[in-house]
Structures are given as C-alpha cells and as structure tokens.
Amino acid sequence: VDKIRDYLYTIYDSIESNPIAVSQLPRQFNEKIRRDKSLPDGIDLVSYIQSWLKDVKHAQELLRTIAARHDNFATFDTISDGGNSLHELTRQVYSATWPHFHGIINTAIDKAHIDLNGLDCCIDLLEYSLCTASYLDMTLERSAFSKQFDRMNQYNNSKTKRDGLLRKDSGATPLSEKTTEFESLDEVRSLTKRLHTSLCVNDSSVQTMKNVAGRIRNGEILLNNPSRTFIREGNLTKRHQLAGRSKTYRFFLFSDTLVYAHESSNGDYKVHEELPLHLMKIVENKHTGSTVSSRSFYIHHPNKSFLVVASSEANKKEWFSDITRSIEREIKRKARIESARKASSKAPSIASC
C-alpha cells in the first residue's frame, strides 16, 4: 500500500510541477487540421485541447484524493487462492452497481414505443449484465436480468405480430434457468444477437408512427399506447345522414382507433373525433340509386354514425378492407386481454393459501 501511495504522489507532483500548457499554434497548422476535418465545425484546435484539459482537472483532483487516503487497494500481489480475492472483489463491485443497470434497462423497455433505438442500445447493456451475473454466479441478479430479457422478447414478439412481420425466428426464447455457467454465456450472446436483428425490423414502423403523430395537434398522446401502430391515412368526405351536410376530413387509421381531423392554418391537423375500433361497425352502401354508392360506406359507432365517400371505387375498397381487418384484430386483442384478466382474478392469492 505504501508503494502505491508513493507512486500516486509521484505522478501528481510531476503533473503539478510540469502543468500541461497549450501554446498558441501557428495558423497554418490550425488550417491544416481544419482541412483534414479532424475537428468539429466552429471549434479551433487550441479551444479543443483546452476543453480536454478542463476535463482532466477533475481526474487530477481525484488522483490526489486517492493518494491521500489510507485504504487498502487490491493488487495482483495480494491475490491468493487462485484469484478468489479478485473474484470476490468483482462480486462486491457488481453487487453495488447492478441496480443502476437494471433501472436503465427498465426505463428503456417502458419507453420502447417512443424510442426503439434506446431499447436497441440497452440490449448490449443487458447482455453485459447477464453475462457478468452468470460468470460471477450471482443467482438473484441473473434472475432479475433474465426477466428483463423476457420482457424485451415479449414486447418484440407482440410488436412484430401486430405489424404482420412475425417469423418463426423473429424472437428469442426465454432464458433457461438450468444451464451451466459457460452454456449460459453462449445462450445470452446468441439470444441478444437475434433480438438485435429482430428489433431492426420494427424500427421503421415506430418511426412512421412518430412522424404521423407529429402532424396531428397534440398527437404525442397517440404514442402513449405502445401497442398502437399506423395503418393508413387519406381524405374522405364525411356526409351527415340527417342534415345531409358534407365535409372533407383527413382520416387516420391506427391499429385500435380511427381519427378524423381537418387541416388548420398552422399546417397541422386538428382532431374532430377519435373512434375506438372495437366498438365500430362498417357496412356497404347498398342504395343503388345514389351516384356515390359504389365509392361510399357507412361507419356506425356509439359516438358517431355517418357516411363516408372516397375519391374512387378502388380507394373505397382499400379503406373498407383495412378498417374491417383492423376491427377484427382489435376485437381479438381485447378478447385476449379480458381472458387474461379473468384468469388472473381466478388464480389463488397468497392470503387464501
């Protein structure tokens, strides 16, 4: 320990007696660096190096503080019993830091519907955390990160299924609890690699959802539902059944709701109505005497009921087909949620056992 402290004092005294100084460099040298594009735009070399030195100052102060302390530092000279001391030290360090990693990953999963890139980056952090916990044989920590991996996998599978992109190898299977240390490390690396590849498929749909929401006033509310996806948009003429008034709106079809809005003077779309699909029914317009019957259909909803007219018969068929499929999928999704809720309510509680 005395040798380490003396060594740290020597380093600090050397830096203190010979501080790093930046002289004014020739303009030609600065221009050469600029031509080589080695610096960010708007920053000269002297300012760039001075910013480095400002960051180093905190490290110098930390070095001086460490040298003044009389703590025992672990070195390879103190390791005995085949490296068990270093192994135990690593366990202690990881035991103190793993909750921070766990919290970051949880936040990334919760916000994945808004920032899928954040989740993609956290896959690497999760791989590191799982591998470290497995190597150090830390059962509690490994179990916690394994559950996070399962959450990532479930989110990815549900997302790809909604987008119609689910393949047999699109997601990863849950981590096995009965594996050896080295089998577990290989398993983690393999599964995270597959999850990386699968998430790339979803990125475009998330970005599309964000772009559409950005054109709707207060559209960020639409991003609060992580299961919501964008289907299509376009102009349709809404015709009131009783008053007979007609007005063209911009319709936005999402996986769980139909929104129609008008364009404001600011260029964004102000929402008139949002109609959940699981309560909606659409029917063909069978009035043969009408000139628009072939390119129109009825929308029936507890909130609103009206006739919409498309620009052409082909456009009407596309809208009718997409809305019909979206309604069917949303009703099935609601049914699955309700079945799961009923099943969980019937499950015996701890108090009743």
Side-chain angles (χ1 to χ4, degrees), residues 117-273:
N117 289 333
L119 182 63
D120 192 47
C121 292
C122 274
I123 293 177
D124 296 326
L125 178 59
L126 181 56
E127 178 181 349
Y128 158 79
S129 302
L130 265 171
C131 288
T132 303
S134 298
Y135 179 77
L136 296 174
D137 195 24
M138 301 174 73
T139 307
L140 175 64
E141 290 78 358
R142 182 184 187 277
S143 176
F145 287 115
S146 296
K147 290 177 181 178
Q148 285 188 324
F149 183 89
D150 292 341
R151 282 190 64 198
M152 279 192 183
N153 190 38
Q154 289 170 6
Y155 169 82
N156 180 58
N157 281 346
S158 62
K159 183 89 175 116
T160 49
K161 180 178 287 187
R162 286 192 305 271
D163 296 343
L165 300 171
L166 189 62
R167 306 181 306 273
K168 292 183 178 180
D169 60 342
S170 62
T173 56
L175 287 170
S176 172
E177 293 294 333
K178 297 181 179 180
T179 54
T180 65
E181 177 181 302
F182 296 105
E183 287 175 345
S184 177
L185 296 181
D186 292 337
E187 183 184 14
V188 168
R189 294 190 183 100
S190 174
L191 296 179
T192 51
K193 183 178 179 180
R194 290 170 59 188
L195 193 54
H196 261 306
T197 303
S198 185
L199 279 177
C200 292
V201 177
N202 291 329
D203 194 29
S204 60
S205 62
V206 172
Q207 189 59 46
T208 300
M209 185 70 193
K210 292 171 69 174
N211 292 339
V212 172
R215 294 188 288 113
I216 300 174
R217 186 174 298 182
N218 300 323
E220 62 274 7
I221 298 175
L222 294 168
L223 301 175
N224 291 339
N225 184 354
S227 66
R228 180 175 289 138
T229 56
F230 173 71
I231 308 297
R232 66 177 297 137
E233 67 174 290
N235 291 336
L236 294 173
T237 300
K238 174 178 171 288
R239 181 173 295 181
H240 196 280
Q241 296 185 52
L242 298 179
R245 296 190 303 268
S246 297
K247 187 172 182 179
T248 299
Y249 290 98
R250 191 71 172 180
F251 281 73
F252 298 88
L253 177 61
F254 299 94
S255 57
D256 64 333
T257 189
L258 179 67
V259 175
Y260 63 92
H262 76 274
E263 187 173 4
S264 69
S265 57
N266 297 327
D268 61 352
Y269 289 96
K270 184 177 180 181
V271 174
H272 273 258
E273 197 74 46

